Each structure stands twice: as C-alpha cells, then as structure tokens.
Amino acid sequence: MSIKENLEKINSEISETCKSCKRNSTEIKLVAVSKFHPLEKIEEAISAGQLLFGENRVQEAKEKFTQISLKYPNVDLHIIGSLQRNKVKDAVKIASCIESVDRLELLDEIEKQCSKIDKKIDVLLEVHTGEESKSGFLDFTSLEQAVCALAENKYPHVNVRGLMTMAPFTEDESLIRKSFSTTKKYLEDLKSKYPALNLTELSMGMSNDFKIAIEEGSTMIRVGTSIFGAREY
Ligand SMILES: *Cc1c(COP(=O)(O)O)cnc(C)c1O
C-alpha cells in the first residue's frame, strides 16, 4: 500500500476506535514517525495531508527537516527520542515540541538555548513505564519535581503540555494498558495539583498499540511502521 493509503487506513482506525470508546477523533493528533525514512517519503506523506512528524535523532532530523520547513512552512516536527545535552541547540531550532524530556538538566539546557533564539517551545515529560525505553522519569516523585520547577516558572521559554510514554514491547495487553493508564493517572494527578499549567497532552501509542492507547486517553499517537513501512537500520 502507498503512504497515502496507509495514512487513510490509520485515520479511519483512529475514528473507529474513538467511536467505540466514545471519544471525539479531533482529540487525537497523529505524529508520523519518519525516522530512517528519506525525504521523498516524508514529502509523499505531506502531499497526502500529513503535517506533523516525529524524529528521534536530532542530526537526522536536522538534515531532513531544515529542507522540509523551507519548502513546507506549515509542517511541524516533534523530537521523540532521548536527547543528549549537546543536541539541544539544534533540536530547539527545528522542533515545535520535545516529547522526550526525561531529566531536569535537559530543561535547563532547553531554556538556555531557547532564550538565545527567543523561541518558546512545547515539551512533554517522558514517563518510564516499560523496559522498552531506557529513558523517562522513573516515578511520580521525580516527575513531580520537574513539574514543580516548571510551575515555579523557572523555564519561561518552556511550555509543558503533558506526558509521553512508551509501553513495554509485549504480547500481554494488560501490561500495555497498565503503562498507559499509569501515565494517564499521573497526568490527572498533576493537573489537579498544578491547575495553572496547561497539562492536556498524553503522547502514547505506536503502530502496534495505538488503539489501546486511545482507549486509555491518549491525545497523540506516534506511528512509524504502519505509515512508512519497516525501517532499514
Ligand atoms: C520509532 C518510534 C515510534 C514509532 O514506532 P512504530 O512502531 O514504527 O510505529 C514511536 N515512538 C518513539 C519514541 C519511537 O522511537
């Protein structure tokens, strides 16, 4: 199937899943994960109407999306992979959102680099809920420390929008569901403790588990393989 057909299929699966769990499909943003795929495939997705993309490596993202953003100024990029401090400078230039903030030190660097270019950036805090990802805040306490610092406005160029997680890679649906429901619970707890923050987003769900994620409250799904096909590493 073509990228266009894959996108149509996923968008209709999003609609069906929302219908069955009584959600509005306009609540769900589809992030097309284009890592390891060439520019031409990204352009194919753009011509099919997809304007939001995710990449997990800054160097690769920079090479592709510097060009893309010149040609298609309304295309948005999220960084979704674990980020080294020395990559933050480039990351904040090309992305509208860093979904994978997993430690306080990274917020310091994001603030520093964004203030230099006078840019306000969205971030999500990554929660570690499965062994699939090595990164992420390990528990509610460490997560709340970061949220607290954000609520105290220590990072005026950083707009925290919610949480992100990667479920464990397993056949056991209950474990996947638990990863998502834990993250949702964390968001709800943080929302009620920090009502001044604009915490609305939950980035959860990939090609294999996005339907479960939507049922558990996801607002952002990150889909690569089901759109672009298998990656060649
Ligand atoms: C690669 C990646 C995805 C997409 O995974 P697929 O299984 O190809 O849909 C989603 N989230 C993150 C953080 C990734 O690194």
Side-chain angles (χ1 to χ4, degrees), residues 169-187:
F169 187 69
T170 167
E171 299 278 292
D172 186 345
E173 194 182 303
S174 69
L175 288 177
I176 297 172
R177 212 172 269 287
K178 185 156 175 286
S179 146
F180 295 149
S181 62
T182 301
T183 307
K184 164 90 172 170
K185 172 82 168 60
Y186 285 179
L187 186 78

Side-chain angles (χ1 to χ4, degrees), residues 188-206:
E188 293 306 319
D189 290 351
L190 292 167
K191 257 185 182 168
S192 62
K193 286 178 105 164
Y194 303 92
L197 293 174
N198 187 21
L199 299 172
T200 54
E201 304 297 330
L202 273 175
S203 177
M204 320 192 288
M206 316 190 349

Side-chain angles (χ1 to χ4, degrees), residues 33 35 56 80 164 166 206-207 222-225 231:
V33 178
K35 63 187 183 197
N56 68 343
I80 61 172
M164 183 272 238
M166 265 174 111
M206 316 190 349
S207 291
R222 311 177 307 270
V223 179
T225 309
R231 288 178 285 274

Side-chain angles (χ1 to χ4, degrees), residues 41-56:
K41 288 202 174 187
I42 299 171
E43 295 202 74
E44 211 177 313
I46 294 170
S47 43
Q50 178 65 31
L51 297 176
L52 177 56
F53 293 85
E55 289 274 344
N56 68 343

Side-chain angles (χ1 to χ4, degrees), residues 11 22 43 67 91 126 137 177:
N11 281 313
K22 300 199 162 48
E43 295 202 74
Q67 297 187 53
E126 182 174 354
F137 290 94
R177 212 172 269 287

